[in-house]
Amino acid sequence: MSSLHSFNDLPAQDKFDAWRETVSNAFVPLDAKSHVPGTFSGSLLTEAIGSLQVSEVTGGAVEVRRTRESIRRSDPGYLKLGMQVRGYCVLSQDDREAALTPGDFSIYDTRRPYQVSFERDFAQLVVMFPYELIHLRPDSMKDMTARRVSGRHGVGGLVSKFLVGIAEQLRGVEELAANQQLSNGVLNLLAAALSEQLGCESNVPPETHRAALVLQIKSFIDARLYDPELSSTLIARAHNISSRYLQKMFEGEGTTVTEWIRRRRLEHCRRDLLDPRNSTTPIATIAAQWGLLDSSYFSKLFKTTYGISPREYRAQAAHTDHDRPQTWEQNCPSSPADGPLRA
């Protein structure tokens, strides 16, 4: 369950102190100094996701420090990832500085002093987790703090996109706390991104590379669901692996490449059928937009998966104010029916 802290109802002179105390209690003991000439405005939204604590912090121009004194007060041994969502910041630790703009991120260690400086209003996503959970060799971690990882390309771009998706769900109704798979996905991607940054991929265990590659491939698939020619061969070639190895990785996920593509296409079609903006769009057009060109096959697959035809689904959803009846969820299998993937 997400926890939201807002300080709008407090007297102006009390807002910054309340923000500073709340942030310090949510993470580790911290010192903070505001550089806002007027009233400080900020908030904190936080949720536990598996082994991670994921938070969205907003505020004004402020300098946050983790000092030796605050470390002595409490040293739980956490690592923190800070990804800039809005504004600009400079993170300093271990004689390095990382200047972060939206989408960029860096990692820092709460066991040693650090400083994060924001020059203006900002929003930052902070992921905090026990040091031992990162799948990297301990002796390599000190070289990875306060290094800017770009959120625009490489594995860093995939991490950034992944975290943005999590941030969007923090304000939703979906319960994320028990999602250990999501937690593991973040940690695997982070380890791969940090190693790519330093050019030391050999420091990452093979299983971490595999998990990161699976997530990268799933992102590749999602970006090309519209293409009816999307296939295992195309995906394997794009990632410089064999089709056999690709299938083996997805078998480890309890599915196949074909099933995964089909599932993602159906999920997008289902959401589009619920969207009132698509109420006049032919069902066959919606299916075709997600790579399912055979409308009769799509209707059969949809009914097999969700227990109701696409036309009935759209009509009943409109009847219930776009809320999907509980019986549909109960009748829906965890993955679409087996069978050949067709265009």
Side-chain angles (χ1 to χ4, degrees), residues 37-201:
T39 301
F40 187 90
S41 178
S43 65
L44 174 66
L45 176 65
T46 186
E47 180 170 351
I49 302 178
S51 305
L52 312 177
Q53 177 183 301
V54 181
S55 306
E56 185 183 69
V57 189
T58 69
V62 65
E63 183 179 284
V64 179
R65 291 175 176 268
R66 174 80 162 151
T67 64
R68 297 192 184 279
E69 181 181 350
S70 58
I71 292 172
R72 284 194 293 269
R73 281 165 31 210
S74 176
D75 183 12
Y78 289 136
L79 291 175
K80 293 169 76 175
L81 176 153
M83 187 190 81
Q84 203 69 14
V85 177
R86 186 178 71 250
Y88 171 85
C89 88
V90 176
L91 166 66
S92 305
Q93 188 174 46
D94 298 326
D95 298 321
R96 285 186 295 271
E97 287 188 348
L100 306 180
T101 57
D104 299 336
F105 64 88
S106 187
I107 197 166
Y108 45 114
D109 192 331
T110 65
R111 299 174 301 175
R112 298 192 300 280
Y114 63 79
Q115 176 178 313
V116 188
S117 301
F118 303 92
E119 295 184 351
R120 57 182 69 91
D121 289 352
F122 74 91
Q124 188 175 75
L125 190 71
V126 179
V127 182
M128 186 169 74
F129 52 92
Y131 180 91
E132 61 272 12
L133 293 185
I134 191 72
H135 300 157
L136 291 168
R137 292 171 184 157
D139 58 355
S140 66
M141 276 309 305
K142 194 168 182 178
D143 293 329
M144 297 188 178
T145 55
R147 290 185 181 273
R148 171 184 169 272
V149 181
S150 173
R152 295 165 183 79
H153 53 77
V155 183
L158 189 59
V159 174
S160 183
K161 180 180 178 181
F162 201 50
L163 292 178
V164 167
I166 293 175
E168 290 173 351
Q169 293 183 67
L170 288 180
R171 298 183 183 275
V173 298
E174 184 178 354
E175 181 60 53
L176 299 176
N179 199 328
Q180 188 61 48
Q181 184 177 8
L182 185 60
S183 170
N184 292 341
V186 172
L187 292 170
N188 284 325
L189 277 176
L190 176 59
L194 293 174
S195 294
E196 180 185 66
Q197 181 77 0
L198 287 180
C200 57
E201 283 85 350

Side-chain angles (χ1 to χ4, degrees), residues 240-259:
N240 299 311
I241 58 177
S242 68
S243 296
R244 182 177 179 183
Y245 183 62
L246 175 66
Q247 295 291 358
K248 185 176 180 180
M249 286 195 297
F250 273 77
E251 286 171 7
E253 300 276 303
T255 186
T256 67
V257 179
T258 298
E259 288 171 354

Side-chain angles (χ1 to χ4, degrees), residues 159-321:
V159 174
S160 183
K161 180 180 178 181
F162 201 50
L163 292 178
V164 167
I166 293 175
E168 290 173 351
Q169 293 183 67
L170 288 180
R171 298 183 183 275
V173 298
E174 184 178 354
E175 181 60 53
L176 299 176
N179 199 328
Q180 188 61 48
Q181 184 177 8
L182 185 60
S183 170
N184 292 341
V186 172
L187 292 170
N188 284 325
L189 277 176
L190 176 59
L194 293 174
S195 294
E196 180 185 66
Q197 181 77 0
L198 287 180
C200 57
E201 283 85 350
S202 61
N203 285 343
V204 182
E207 60 272 17
T208 299
H209 274 304
R210 282 194 297 271
L213 181 57
V214 167
L215 288 169
Q216 192 169 2
I217 289 171
K218 287 179 177 178
S219 180
F220 177 90
I221 290 171
D222 271 0
R224 292 161 179 80
L225 291 173
Y226 65 87
D227 182 1
E229 300 300 321
L230 184 64
S231 65
S232 297
T233 301
L234 186 152
I235 296 166
R237 187 184 304 122
H239 292 85
N240 299 311
I241 58 177
S242 68
S243 296
R244 182 177 179 183
Y245 183 62
L246 175 66
Q247 295 291 358
K248 185 176 180 180
M249 286 195 297
F250 273 77
E251 286 171 7
E253 300 276 303
T255 186
T256 67
V257 179
T258 298
E259 288 171 354
W260 180 260
I261 295 172
R262 186 166 51 221
R263 179 192 307 174
R264 296 297 294 151
R265 282 175 167 162
L266 282 173
E267 287 174 355
H268 282 287
C269 291
R270 183 184 65 80
R271 290 170 188 167
D272 283 354
L273 288 171
L274 289 176
D275 192 334
R277 294 171 297 183
N278 297 323
S279 60
T280 61
T281 304
I283 291 174
T285 300
I286 290 176
Q289 288 172 345
W290 295 108
L292 295 165
L293 303 183
D294 187 331
S295 59
S296 61
Y297 168 71
F298 166 68
S299 295
K300 179 180 178 182
L301 181 61
F302 192 98
K303 187 170 184 177
T304 300
T305 303
Y306 297 114
I308 190 169
S309 74
R311 190 175 304 279
E312 292 170 321
Y313 185 92
R314 172 187 265 176
Q316 292 191 24
H319 230 50
T320 57
D321 195 26

